[in-house]
Amino acid sequence: MKLVLPAVPAGVPSELLARRPDIRQAEQLLIAANARIGVAKSLYFPTISLTGSFGTVSTALSICSRRVPGPGISGPGERAAFHRGRIGGEVAATEAAQKQALFSYQQTIQNAFREVDDALLDRAKSTQRLEALARQLKALRNYVRLARYRYDEGYTSYLEVLDAERSLFNVELTHTTTQNTMFRSLINIYKTMGGGWVDQAEQGVTASR
């Protein structure tokens, strides 16, 4: 039974890359970093009532908004200012982490495109190499057939037959090695694309029947 390799279909969407584990991980880290920014910023808004009885200013609001009473005097306003400064530091730190996560996410996607490009180029080179070797094999098999015929008819020595068979054997080995390279390139394409293109190829084959 001859092994039929799946053809890489045209128009494979770049959205397939979202299936890659490295991109999924980078995406989740970015989502988490964005969430942490929201949590840090929410600390600026403590859970208090803005108004008290009869719609007047609530005591909690007065404490949060009160200014520092004066030099050397510690009060609620001073503690609130310190609290706001600490929150500001946390927000700045989470925003820096988010920027780093975004940069990593963008770099991961760029690396994925580069890997797909390399994998497709490797497959193209392997295909060209296999086609050239197939033509060479056809010519050498014909050469072996003719060498044996010439030997049987007494026109040449058996050395020519051995030389022809040796050349054919070497090219057959090279052809097998190149086939293995082709198999690995297809596996690499599947991995770099995040999978899925084989399903598209099979659907195309089914539709053409």
Side-chain angles (χ1 to χ4, degrees):
M1 181 178 179
K2 185 178 180 181
L3 177 62
V4 179
L5 298 176
V8 180
V12 175
S14 61
E15 287 80 1
L16 282 181
L17 296 180
R19 304 185 184 190
R20 287 174 52 122
D22 56 343
I23 291 182
R24 284 185 174 182
Q25 181 183 21
E27 181 183 7
Q28 292 303 314
L29 291 175
L30 179 59
I31 291 173
N34 288 332
R36 284 193 293 271
I37 289 179
V39 171
K41 287 184 175 180
S42 69
L43 296 177
Y44 277 122
F45 303 94
T47 305
I48 62 172
S49 297
L50 299 180
T51 58
S53 302
F54 307 107
T56 59
V57 176
S58 69
T59 303
L61 177 59
S62 296
I63 293 175
C64 286
S65 62
R66 193 172 302 163
R67 296 178 178 276
V68 179
I73 302 176
S74 176
E78 185 178 64
R79 290 193 294 271
F82 174 79
H83 185 62
R84 287 193 296 271
R86 180 178 60 80
I87 294 174
E90 291 181 4
V91 171
T94 54
E95 288 178 342
Q98 188 272 346
K99 290 180 180 179
Q100 179 59 43
L102 176 60
F103 177 76
S104 298
Y105 180 63
Q106 293 170 337
Q107 288 294 104
T108 302
I109 293 176
Q110 184 178 358
N111 180 65
F113 279 111
R114 182 170 57 251
E115 288 183 354
V116 171
D117 183 61
D118 291 342
L120 290 173
L121 285 176
D122 287 343
R123 175 183 171 274
K125 291 178 181 178
S126 297
T127 300
Q128 293 174 356
R129 179 64 171 157
L130 276 176
E131 291 173 352
L133 287 170
R135 293 190 294 268
Q136 193 175 0
L137 281 174
K138 183 178 180 180
L140 285 172
R141 284 168 183 153
N142 187 53
Y143 173 46
V144 169
R145 182 181 62 81
L146 292 176
R148 288 173 179 168
Y149 175 78
R150 285 164 56 84
Y151 171 75
D152 292 340
E153 295 298 321
Y155 293 116
T156 187
S157 68
Y158 195 67
L159 184 62
E160 182 180 349
V161 177
L162 291 176
D163 182 66
E165 290 179 340
R166 178 185 56 80
S167 298
L168 176 61
F169 178 73
N170 289 336
V171 174
E172 285 176 337
L173 285 178
T174 304
H175 185 268
T176 301
T177 302
T178 306
Q179 276 187 323
N180 291 333
T181 302
M182 170 67 81
F183 298 155
R184 288 195 298 270
S185 71
L186 287 170
I187 293 172
N188 198 31
I189 289 174
Y190 187 85
K191 290 170 58 179
T192 58
M193 285 189 179
W197 63 267
V198 172
D199 296 335
Q200 287 196 357
E202 291 177 348
Q203 291 172 5
V205 172
T206 303
S208 64
R209 290 176 180 174

